[in-house]
Amino acid sequence: MKDTGRFFTVGLVAAWYSSNIGVLLLNKYLLSSYGFKYPVFLTMCHMTACSLLSYIAIAWMKMVPMQTIRSRVQFFKISALSLIFCASVVSGNISLKYLPVSFNQAIGATTPFFTAVFAYLMTFKREAWLTYISLIPVVTGVIIASGGEPSFQLFGFIMCVGATAARALKSVLQGILLSSEGEKLNSMNLLLYMAPVAVIFLLPAALVMEENVVGITIALARDDIKIVWYLIFNSALSYFVNLTNFLVTKHTSALTLQVLGNAKGAVAVVVSILIFRNPVSVTGMLGYSLTVIGVVLYSEAKKRSK
């Protein structure tokens, strides 16, 4: 039984890694190599799939009990989180048009830095001094990686930093806004309510910012039907990232999840370099390695401070 449980957990982690890295690489392929230059519309496809598949998983398959929204105030809180979530995903997808996945992941590893900053600014929560010291290599590593990145592009860099900051802000706000016992939602139920709201935000944004995107996508599909299958598969995979993340969280400890998350970024970097063959400098790799070491130290410092 123990062996079965261990194999099940390993399978979940493998599925989490595969779906997460798969979405990242397919986003990069679609937005740069394939030439589908519509990150807002792509994000809307992701959120549409998350809406439908979340409902199927919770309402039909009963994977977790359905939690209901109890008040208008709670709905507005979820809507605010959804808006920030949209900003994070769209900015991240835009950055993939301009930056290699390896550099994108290096910047994304600075999430703990932004989380600590927002937690202090919004809740005045202070961490132990060791925790703050551990953030120095996190930021220093990205600065070094930026200086040594052959494919550095300023707009893409700004978008990626914005996506990382928005991801951290959502995490902090979620803890503040949905802190009472009556308002807490597990991640699958939160996605069930956030995703449709995200589609409502993203639809007009896509139509305004990416003119005639629907007509262009239909025209592309007539020339190459593969684009339809790419979008369907990519959108479904984006849901499985959230599903497998929830299941890994459920079947492992928070600390294990942190360690696995750090390793996942490193695996994504290696796989992306092998697939896209983007040039990588020694300075850039040293910078990214320093960031990963900083994140590991940060996790350790957080564990000791509890």
Side-chain angles (χ1 to χ4, degrees), residues 15-279:
W16 180 43
Y17 271 39
S18 302
S19 59
N20 206 299
I21 295 171
V23 163
L24 194 64
L25 297 179
L26 194 48
N27 283 351
K28 176 64 179 175
Y29 174 73
L30 286 171
L31 294 167
S32 56
S33 303
Y34 189 85
F36 187 79
K37 300 176 180 179
Y38 305 104
V40 180
F41 182 76
L42 181 62
T43 307
M44 192 192 77
C45 291
H46 289 180
M47 292 300 103
T48 302
C50 286
S51 301
L52 295 172
L53 294 173
S54 291
Y55 185 79
I56 291 169
I58 297 173
W60 291 2
M61 297 175 67
K62 310 290 184 186
M63 291 190 70
V64 294
M66 181 175 279
Q67 297 170 288
T68 56
I69 296 177
R70 300 191 176 188
S71 67
R72 188 178 296 177
V73 173
Q74 187 184 15
F75 172 74
F76 283 123
K77 288 176 179 179
I78 291 169
S79 299
L81 290 173
S82 182
L83 184 59
I84 296 166
F85 182 57
C86 284
S88 171
V89 178
V90 169
S91 299
N93 285 340
I94 290 172
S95 75
L96 285 171
K97 285 176 65 177
Y98 303 99
L99 300 178
V101 173
S102 53
F103 190 44
N104 178 283
Q105 289 295 286
I107 298 168
T110 61
T111 302
F113 167 76
F114 289 103
T115 304
V117 169
F118 285 129
Y120 177 74
L121 292 175
M122 301 176 78
T123 66
F124 301 106
K125 179 186 175 184
R126 292 191 178 187
E127 303 286 355
W129 63 271
L130 246 171
T131 306
Y132 289 119
I133 288 174
S134 69
L135 290 171
I136 296 172
V138 172
V139 179
T140 306
V142 169
I143 293 169
I144 293 170
S146 302
E149 175 54 52
S151 308
F152 182 85
Q153 207 271 356
L154 183 60
F155 179 69
F157 176 76
I158 292 169
M159 286 292 101
C160 196
V161 171
T164 306
R167 191 161 54 245
L169 178 60
K170 177 195 165 282
S171 174
V172 174
L173 274 178
Q174 187 174 324
I176 297 170
L177 296 179
L178 303 178
S179 58
S180 67
E181 283 302 317
E183 291 184 330
K184 279 183 181 176
L185 298 172
N186 64 49
S187 60
M188 286 187 72
N189 273 275
L190 184 59
L191 184 65
L192 172 68
Y193 295 116
M194 277 175 49
V197 176
V199 173
I200 293 168
F201 287 138
L202 290 165
L203 179 58
L207 294 175
V208 172
M209 296 170 66
E210 299 172 343
E211 193 175 347
N212 197 29
V213 63
V214 177
I216 292 168
T217 304
I218 292 169
L220 279 171
R222 285 181 185 142
D223 294 334
D224 183 6
I225 194 62
K226 284 190 293 184
I227 184 64
V228 175
W229 296 113
Y230 282 145
L231 290 174
I232 291 172
F233 179 67
N234 192 25
S235 300
L237 210 54
S238 73
Y239 171 72
F240 284 105
V241 170
N242 292 281
L243 174 63
T244 53
N245 183 74
F246 171 79
L247 292 173
V248 170
T249 305
K250 184 179 177 181
H251 290 277
T252 65
S253 66
L255 180 61
T256 303
L257 190 73
Q258 282 184 333
V259 173
L260 291 171
N262 297 337
K264 176 172 57 64
V267 173
V269 168
V270 174
V271 173
S272 70
I273 291 170
L274 291 174
I275 291 175
F276 294 107
R277 308 269 179 198
N278 57 282

Side-chain angles (χ1 to χ4, degrees), residues 271-293:
V271 173
S272 70
I273 291 170
L274 291 174
I275 291 175
F276 294 107
R277 308 269 179 198
N278 57 282
V280 180
S281 68
V282 175
T283 306
M285 288 308 295
L286 284 173
Y288 179 68
S289 300
L290 183 60
T291 296
V292 171
I293 291 168

